[in-house]
Amino acid sequence: MIRDDIKAALVTAMKSGDKQRTAAIRLIQSTIKNRDIEQRTATQASTDDDALVVEVLQKMIKQRRESITLYEQGGRQELADAEKAEVAVIEGFLPQQMTEDETKAAIDAIVTEVGASSVKDMGRVMAVLKERHAAQLDMSKASGLVKARLSQ
C-alpha cells in the first residue's frame, strides 16, 4: 500500500537527515490524515485506500504546480524551487503514469467500447476512463485528449 511506502520513506528520510524530504513527507501524511477525517465525517461510500491516497497526492501536485507558476510570475524563484522539490517527492509515491501514447490507446479503446461518436459522449468516455485509469492519469490532460479524439 502507498501509505506503507510513505511511512517507510519518512523513516529513511529522518535517518538520513534529509530535512526537506522529511518535511515534504510529513506534509503528505498530514494531508492524507485530514482527508481521512473528512471522509469519516462525510456520508460517502468507502473507497479503496490506495485510490484515496492517489487522489490526495494528485491534488497536492496540482496545487504546487499552480503555486510554482505564480511564484515564477512573481519573480520568487527560490519559492518555486522549493515547490518543485516537494512535487518531486510527492510524485515518487504515485503509481507509474501512462504515457501520452498509452493514454490515447486507452481512450480509443473506451470510445470504441462505449460507441462514442461526438463530443456529446465525452461524459460517458471520461467516466469509464476515470474508473479504470484514474491513478495513472492526469485527468485534466486526459480530458483534452478525449475532446480532441471525439472532435475528429
Side-chain angles (χ1 to χ4, degrees):
M1 285 184 16
I2 297 174
R3 285 182 198 254
D4 297 333
D5 295 341
I6 293 171
K7 287 177 187 175
L10 178 62
V11 171
T12 303
M14 289 171 56
K15 285 181 179 178
S16 69
D18 188 348
K19 293 181 190 248
Q20 189 175 18
R21 184 169 173 81
T22 301
I25 294 172
R26 283 188 173 145
L27 183 62
I28 292 169
Q29 285 185 320
S30 171
T31 306
I32 292 170
K33 182 77 169 173
N34 287 339
R35 181 60 189 268
D36 287 343
I37 292 169
E38 287 174 16
Q39 195 165 20
R40 221 180 303 143
T41 59
T43 57
Q44 296 177 349
S46 147
T47 59
D48 177 33
D49 187 56
D50 277 353
L52 177 111
V53 173
V54 166
E55 182 182 327
V56 169
L57 295 177
Q58 287 174 335
K59 184 175 181 181
M60 291 176 72
I61 289 172
K62 181 180 177 190
Q63 291 170 335
R64 272 144 193 82
R65 287 194 175 135
E66 290 170 358
S67 296
I68 289 168
T69 303
L70 293 174
Y71 287 144
E72 287 175 344
Q73 289 173 353
R76 299 296 308 265
Q77 192 58 43
E78 70 282 356
L79 294 175
D81 291 341
E83 293 288 321
K84 287 177 185 176
E86 283 187 12
V87 167
V89 171
I90 296 167
E91 284 178 336
F93 296 109
L94 285 174
Q96 182 65 37
Q97 299 292 295
M98 293 173 74
T99 65
E100 188 169 338
D101 291 336
E102 292 171 335
T103 303
K104 286 179 180 179
I107 290 170
D108 287 340
I110 292 170
V111 165
T112 304
E113 177 186 324
V114 173
S117 58
S118 70
V119 178
K120 291 180 183 178
D121 299 317
M122 187 169 169
R124 292 189 306 151
V125 174
M126 287 300 296
V128 174
L129 189 65
K130 185 174 183 178
E131 177 185 315
R132 293 184 188 167
H133 304 288
Q136 299 109 0
L137 287 175
D138 177 355
M139 293 308 290
S140 61
K141 290 179 184 175
S143 174
L145 293 172
V146 169
K147 189 172 187 176
R149 168 65 173 83
L150 294 175
S151 296
Q152 294 175 349

